[in-house]
Amino acid sequence: MFTQPRAPLPVFALCLTALLGLAAASVLTGAGRVAPEQVVDYLLGARGDHHLEMVVTTLRLPRTLAALVVGAALGVSGMLLQAVTRNPLAETGLLGVNSGAALGVVVGIVYAGAQTGGAYLVWALGGALLATGVVLLIGSRFSPLKLVLAGAALSATLTGITSAMLVADPVTFDQYRFWVLGSLAGVPLERVLSVSPAILAGLGMAALAARPLAALSLGDDMAVALGHRPGRTRVTVTVAVTLLSAAAVAVAGPIGFLGLLAGYLARTLLGGRVGPQIVLSGLAGALVLLGADVLARVVMRPYEAPVSLLIAILGGPVLIVVARSRAVAAGAGDLISDRIPRRGAGLLRSPAEGLRRILGRRAGADRAGGAPATGARRGVRSGVQHGARSGVRRGAGSGPGRGPLPSDALPVRLGALSVLLPVRSSFAVAALAALAAAAGVTALVAGQSAMTAGQALDALRGIGAGGQILLVQEIRLPRVVAGLVAGAALGLSGCLTQALARNRLATPDMLGINQGAVIAIMLAGLFSSAEMLFEHWWTGPLGALAAAVVVFAISGGVGTQGYRFIVTGLAVTTLAGALTQSVLAWRGLSSATAIHSWSVGSLAGRGYPVALPVAVGLALLLPAALAVSRRLDVMRFSEDVGTGLGANPRTTRLAVLALAVALAGLAIGIGGPIAFVALAAPVIAARLSGPARLPLVGAPLTGAALVVAADTIGRVIASGAEIPAGVVTSVLGGPFLLWTLLSDRRS
């Protein structure tokens, strides 16, 4: 039974009434001590002092107008993106359009000295146009959830480039750290008027695109049959979204989630009518932003709360609700899954073959000793046995009472002791260990100081000039050790979470676990100096655990619908990012600069004091991970198979989750949230070692090599400046995530 959509006119009238009430509250309310009756008297013509005139005409009236204009622009642009991509999760903040506009503004500030609203608009247009074009180019290839993840990858790359520019220019960073919060405080009327032509043009194009978008929602063929041109419609929407989002960013900075909120309210209230939805999304965007701005002025008097943080608090739950809807859940099945891969790309033929390769014996060996299985276990086990008997039995070295050996295993006998050595995995581990060692040696040699490779190696042995020995042994070597340990912890944590959720995208940075550790460490060191921040590394696992509990509780536990973890984690990550930016704005410039470098992932100044505890933890947790690897291998296929073979899914999940959270939290304590290492390391290691086994040794080695290599690139790529390792991995990790999404072929 379908509910009838509400009539547009009563809904519009209700929204306009609420908007007028909030506009009046915005003019009458502020963080200062000007009473509302004083403002009313001034507006009615009573004479006031200079201070009252400045508060009303210079601050509050332009601020109210800016909230209306920016909210309407972001609401309409979000609705346009959702309509053209047929994706209820599409939004300029989630898809990277706001990040593109922000990058354009930063480029304008750094290279062209942009300071006015008109100059901001010009540079924001270029960045927003680039991001919007990429989103619409890849939008047709992805399901709703995949498109959001692709937008997250695009946003990470653009944000990484922005961070690289800010690290090299502290003056621009000081200006950016307040602007990026999306504040409307102090917005001059001239800036609003300078971008109004772009907003009017974008709204006009949105009105023209309403009917074609309604036809396009039925499919390209139906739209053509109705006399519309889908290509022209998409170009029109691209230009409209670019104008609206760029103008909004130029006025108030990047404000996320607003388009998602406005679109959700419009669809909920009006049903499937595209034209009225566009109008209502503009009203809803203005209503939400104006209400959040009024609340920001009174919730922390006499200070102001960041408006972007308040909207993120509202938008995060809405993102989770929309992602769990039937429309999005229907398209979530094509997310990258590790359940039963195909043979074509070096993967498996069937669950039976996978179990034989994992367990190293025929299913008939299970019958040799043990009590008869009953219930579900009997059904699962008999199915496995049937698959084992009917499958192709490859391998060598079978004997009486033994099944065939796995195809990549080599028997090694030492007297009475014999073990099966996985050939491909062993070669992969050896190669990755050599790669990590090479990355460490390169990091010791490379740098901006005038030192040859021979001099660096001599200094490592204590030979040479005192300054060179100090540089290599006291600065570079501890930093390399810290990078190796942090990368290994991230790689192993990512491998465990991917296996736990049976999804290659379910990594600590995608699930919000890393950001939970960041927030915990920042809160613990809130009242200490930036140098003392790293002494609170022990709070990282606690924050990671808290974030994991929140994500898993909201998403309903670890189950087959792994997409819930990713979307919930994305919401937690965005909310934590807004909180981090708020802390950076609250701190002084020197402290904020140091914390910002760490919050994006940096090894600068790290050494043995922070690396040693993590190394001890890694030495204890890696054997524990290897101990549960067989049960985790079995659970990669399904819960029924794991239960049938004696694995306790609940116990295994809790153990693996605890290991992954502890490893991620410890790694954050060293180098901050170095992005995409936990995603890339297990994928690369699995490509090398094959799908028969989890790369629990290869993934840490790959992560160690990636972190040290990224740190080395950051130290040498820019003359006179150091780019944090997390910025390097963000810039390179975004394309890697896009490649992973595009190359996925789920069986």
Side-chain angles (χ1 to χ4, degrees):
M1 182 177 180
F2 297 95
T3 58
Q4 295 294 328
R6 294 175 175 82
L9 290 181
V11 175
F12 292 161
L14 181 62
C15 288
L16 286 174
T17 303
L19 201 59
L20 290 175
L22 281 176
S26 177
V27 175
L28 298 175
T29 307
R33 298 181 178 179
V34 177
E37 54 270 18
Q38 292 179 280
V39 178
V40 173
D41 292 339
Y42 175 79
L43 293 176
L44 293 178
R47 297 188 62 182
D49 56 16
H50 178 71
H51 175 70
L52 182 61
E53 180 182 0
M54 181 193 68
V55 168
V56 176
T57 61
T58 307
L59 297 179
R60 293 187 183 177
L61 286 176
R63 182 171 187 164
T64 302
L65 180 61
L68 295 173
V69 170
V70 171
L74 290 177
V76 171
S77 63
M79 190 69 247
L80 290 176
L81 274 180
Q82 293 166 20
V84 75
T85 61
R86 283 171 274 182
N87 182 356
L89 291 175
E91 194 262 340
T92 56
L94 293 176
L95 298 187
V97 178
N98 287 358
S99 297
L103 174 60
V105 172
V106 172
V107 171
I109 294 174
V110 173
Y111 294 104
Q115 296 294 331
T116 64
Y120 282 1
L121 176 61
V122 172
W123 289 97
L125 280 173
L129 181 61
L130 173 64
T132 305
V134 173
V135 167
L136 295 184
L137 178 65
I138 65 178
S140 60
R141 303 186 182 186
F142 288 147
S143 66
L145 184 57
K146 273 194 173 183
L147 181 60
V148 174
L149 297 176
L154 177 63
S155 180
T157 299
L158 297 176
T159 303
I161 298 174
T162 302
S163 298
M165 299 176 64
L166 294 175
V167 169
D169 190 347
V171 176
T172 304
F173 170 71
D174 190 29
Q175 182 177 354
Y176 175 83
R177 66 191 179 110
F178 297 102
W179 174 79
V180 75
L181 293 177
S183 176
L184 296 170
V187 174
L189 182 61
E190 292 77 11
R191 182 178 298 179
V192 179
L193 296 178
S194 64
V195 302
S196 58
I199 293 180
L200 292 176
L203 294 177
M205 298 179 74
L208 294 176
R211 291 178 63 87
L213 281 175
L216 194 63
S217 64
L218 303 176
D220 286 10
D221 294 338
M222 183 62 68
V224 172
L226 293 175
H228 300 285
R229 297 182 180 180
R232 179 180 296 180
T233 302
R234 291 189 175 93
V235 170
T236 302
V237 170
T238 301
V239 176
V241 169
T242 300
L243 290 172
L244 293 172
S245 59
V249 170
V251 171
I255 300 177
F257 283 121
L258 192 55
L260 179 72
L261 283 166
Y264 175 75
L265 292 174
R267 287 191 308 274
T268 302
L269 294 176
L270 294 183
R273 303 176 62 181
V274 176
Q277 281 183 8
I278 293 176
V279 177
L280 185 57
S281 64
L283 294 175
L287 192 65
V288 172
L289 183 57
L290 189 57
D293 186 54
V294 172
L295 182 61
R297 286 180 253 172
V298 300
V299 71
M300 292 178 60
R301 278 183 173 176
Y303 305 102
E304 288 193 14
V307 67
S308 61
L309 178 59
L310 297 179
I311 294 180
I313 293 174
L314 295 174
V318 173
L319 172 62
I320 297 171
V321 169
V322 176
R324 296 181 66 168
S325 63
R326 293 182 178 180
V328 177
D334 62 352
L335 279 178
I336 299 175
S337 175
D338 286 334
R339 294 178 197 171
I340 305 175
R342 294 191 306 268
R343 177 184 295 275
L347 304 178
L348 305 179
R349 181 192 295 268
S350 66
E353 180 183 350
L355 289 171
R356 289 199 308 275
R357 293 170 67 176
I358 290 173
L359 301 176
R361 62 178 183 269
R362 283 180 298 185
D366 292 333
R367 299 194 300 268
T374 58
R377 179 173 296 185
R378 179 188 297 124
V380 173
R381 188 167 292 182
S382 63
V384 173
Q385 294 166 359
H386 174 74
R389 289 193 297 268
S390 60
V392 178
R393 300 189 177 185
R394 300 188 295 127
S398 60
R402 292 183 178 179
L405 299 178
S407 60
D408 67 338
L410 179 67
V412 177
R413 293 179 176 85
L414 299 174
L417 179 65
S418 63
V419 295
L420 291 178
L421 181 67
V423 178
R424 180 175 175 179
S425 299
S426 299
F427 276 115
V429 167
L432 291 172
L435 181 63
V441 172
T442 303
L444 291 176
V445 173
Q448 299 186 12
S449 61
M451 185 188 306
T452 65
Q455 290 174 333
L457 295 177
D458 287 340
L460 182 62
R461 296 180 297 166
I463 303 173
Q468 294 178 347
I469 296 175
L470 176 65
L471 176 63
V472 172
Q473 293 189 359
E474 301 297 330
I475 298 178
R476 289 184 182 175
L477 182 59
R479 182 167 178 166
V480 169
V481 172
L484 291 173
V485 173
L490 286 174
L492 181 56
S493 178
C495 182
L496 292 175
T497 52
Q498 288 178 359
L500 180 66
R502 298 196 291 272
N503 194 313
R504 293 180 192 142
L505 300 180
T507 57
D509 41 2
M510 299 293 289
L511 296 180
I513 295 175
N514 284 2
Q515 287 296 331
V518 170
I519 294 299
I521 295 175
M522 291 184 66
L523 292 179
L526 194 61
F527 300 101
S528 62
S529 63
E531 293 76 11
M532 301 290 290
L533 182 68
F534 313 120
E535 295 185 359
H536 305 284
W537 58 267
W538 54 271
T539 61
L542 300 179
L545 178 61
V549 169
V550 170
V551 171
F552 280 59
I554 294 176
S555 54
V558 184
T560 56
Q561 294 182 338
Y563 72 93
R564 291 183 178 179
F565 301 100
I566 300 172
V567 176
T568 306
L570 182 61
V572 172
T573 299
T574 305
L575 179 59
L579 183 59
T580 301
Q581 294 293 343
S582 303
V583 173
L584 293 177
W586 181 75
R587 302 292 292 251
L589 177 58
S590 60
S591 177
T593 302
I595 296 176
H596 173 259
S597 178
W598 172 81
S599 67
V600 298
S602 173
L603 295 177
R606 306 312 183 273
Y608 300 127
V610 292
L612 182 59
V614 181
V616 173
L618 187 63
L620 296 175
L621 296 177
L622 178 57
L626 294 174
V628 300
S629 62
R630 177 164 300 215
R631 294 183 179 181
L632 195 56
D633 273 330
V634 172
M635 288 182 60
R636 283 196 299 169
F637 294 92
S638 71
E639 292 188 17
D640 293 336
V641 172
T643 303
L645 293 174
N648 188 325
R650 180 179 179 83
T651 303
T652 304
R653 287 174 187 161
L654 293 177
V656 173
L657 178 61
L659 291 171
V661 166
L663 287 165
L666 290 173
I668 300 305
I670 293 181
I674 304 178
F676 291 113
V677 173
L679 168 68
V683 173
I684 295 173
R687 291 274 182 173
L688 295 176
S689 61
R693 297 169 180 83
L694 288 174
L696 293 179
V697 178
L701 293 172
T702 307
L706 290 176
V707 171
V708 174
D711 184 58
T712 304
I713 293 173
R715 287 194 290 113
V716 303
I717 194 172
S719 178
E722 180 176 314
I723 307 301
V727 173
V728 177
T729 58
S730 294
V731 174
L732 300 178
F736 182 86
L737 176 55
L738 286 175
W739 171 80
T740 306
L741 290 168
L742 289 170
S743 62
D744 174 44
R745 294 292 182 270
R746 181 176 180 270
S747 62

